[in-house]
Amino acid sequence: MEWNIEGGRESRFVWVVTVVASLALISGCGGDEGPAQEQLGNTSGPMAGMGSSGEPPAAEEPPTSTGPGATMGPTSGAPSGGDEPAPGDAPTGDAPTGDAPTGDAPTGDAPTGDAPTGDAPMGDEPVMGDEPVMGDEPVMGDEPVMGDEPVADGSCCDGCMCRGGDPTEESVTAMGPYGSESYSQGLRNGPRFGGATVYYPTDAEPPFAGVIMCPGFTARQSSIRAWGPFFASHGIVLVTIDTNTTGDPVTARDDALLDALESLKAENSRMGSPLFGKLSMDRFGVSGWSMGGGGTWLAAKATPELKSAMTLAGHHSTAGGARVADGITVPTIMFAGATDPSTLGGGNQSQRAYAAIPDSTPKILYEMAREGHFSWGTPRTNGGALGRYAMAFHKVFLEGDERYRQFLLVEGPGASEWISTVK
């Protein structure tokens, strides 16, 4: 009975030893036989977080950091960025004891962000900085604006002046869109003319072209003053002048026109002038009524660099006849009245001057059936047709605005004679 008791103790001893040895084998004692895990929070893969018994141990809540690149637990020896450890590259370190760690182990679910998902890692995805930004897209400043829209091809040459919208018969007949003012003081006092008044636009965009206008025999500049505001309202400077005496002949009036032109040019550089820096120095014309018209033909003949010439019932019979117009190359428009006496501006004086000007020169003769010698002091003559054709001609040849040519291609109303080389 006593032997059996002792034998029973021996059996219990053997059983205890066997259990201890089994536990040691299960817990991975020996270190070189298999991959030893570091702390469970650093392990990735399907078995991450498993205790020594193969069952998930009870653990605390996982860390709260989530999203791309969040790491779980200590980083020593752990792959980052969601990359899988290569086979055979097991982390090294001391084997854990048989007791499973309790504080760092996550729950049985794989740690978020550490296990690859099969999709490209977040670091390989395009970021916002790689996408086109607003600065790479066209901005409003690169788009044409209304004020930059070009005028139609062929309608305005380089250096020409094209103002406002497309003209109409009404717009070219009426006063223009710009305000105007005038002055007589401060001008260069030229020796060959008696005085002058400068009419200029106040709110048009410079530079401005300019025209000098001379009155007829015994007349003063007040007889033609209505032309000043009309031209200025369309963006063109107009200067009316007096001659040194009201009885000056035709051959003195061309000198008066060209001397006054020098005074106008000087306004571009005179400090304090309303036209300081505002004149186009290569766009000038001359004009005149009666003997002033005769002086206009002579001035145009002597000064081919002029851009335009306009005569109103021009007189040349006391100045040697039509030879005053021989060889003129300056574009010229001539207005005449069918009822004008030959002693003044009638008797086909304008027709003969027209014939003396080469056909290669742009020229128009417009004789109005009901007009006489004293019809030319205002652009309102013949229902405004006088002003319409005068302005259209200056817009085309003085300023270079081809949009107005259309008005010159139609015979004027009430014409007793219409001749033109303008196409």
Side-chain angles (χ1 to χ4, degrees), residues 103-117:
D104 296 328
T107 62
D109 297 324
T112 304
D114 289 340
T117 61

Side-chain angles (χ1 to χ4, degrees), residues 160-180:
C160 296
M161 304 168 187
C162 299
R163 306 181 189 279
D166 290 340
T168 64
E169 184 174 306
E170 291 75 17
S171 70
V172 72
T173 303
M175 294 291 286
Y178 306 113
S180 68

Side-chain angles (χ1 to χ4, degrees), residues 183 185-188 265-277:
Y183 66 96
Q185 303 301 313
L187 286 164
R188 164 187 169 273
K265 290 179 179 179
E267 289 298 281
N268 194 59
S269 57
R270 180 175 71 86
M271 294 296 294
S273 167
L275 296 176
F276 178 74

Side-chain angles (χ1 to χ4, degrees), residues 179-249:
S180 68
E181 292 184 6
S182 65
Y183 66 96
S184 300
Q185 303 301 313
L187 286 164
R188 164 187 169 273
N189 185 17
R192 299 193 176 189
F193 67 99
T197 303
V198 180
Y199 298 85
Y200 65 96
T202 56
D203 52 357
E205 186 71 21
F208 306 128
V211 174
I212 312 296
M213 181 174 278
C214 180
F217 186 66
T218 73
R220 297 188 179 275
Q221 60 172 305
S222 58
S223 64
I224 51 175
R225 63 187 173 192
W227 286 97
F230 179 69
F231 267 68
S233 72
H234 285 276
I236 299 173
V237 173
L238 188 133
V239 181
T240 59
I241 66 170
D242 284 319
T243 50
N244 282 329
T245 73
T246 59
D248 280 0

Side-chain angles (χ1 to χ4, degrees), residues 16 46 94 96 102 137 170 221 249 262 267 288 295-296 329 418:
V16 170
D94 296 334
T102 60
E137 299 175 358
E170 291 75 17
Q221 60 172 305
E262 292 305 310
E267 289 298 281
T296 296
T329 59
W418 172 272

Side-chain angles (χ1 to χ4, degrees), residues 274-334:
L275 296 176
F276 178 74
K278 295 182 178 180
L279 290 173
S280 175
M281 299 303 289
D282 60 353
R283 293 191 174 276
F284 295 104
V286 290
S287 177
W289 169 44
S290 190
M291 281 191 177
T296 296
W297 284 315
L298 285 172
K301 182 177 180 178
T303 319
E305 63 267 26
L306 293 172
K307 299 296 185 184
S308 66
M310 179 175 74
T311 63
L312 305 164
H315 171 92
H316 58 61
S317 62
T318 60
R323 64 185 182 183
V324 299
D326 282 347
I328 288 178
T329 59
V330 176
T332 304
I333 187 167
M334 292 160 274

Side-chain angles (χ1 to χ4, degrees), residues 313 335-341 345-346 366-373 376 416:
F335 297 97
T339 65
D340 194 351
Y366 180 8
E367 184 185 75
M368 299 182 186
R370 298 184 177 183
E371 306 303 334
H373 191 66
W376 314 104
S416 53

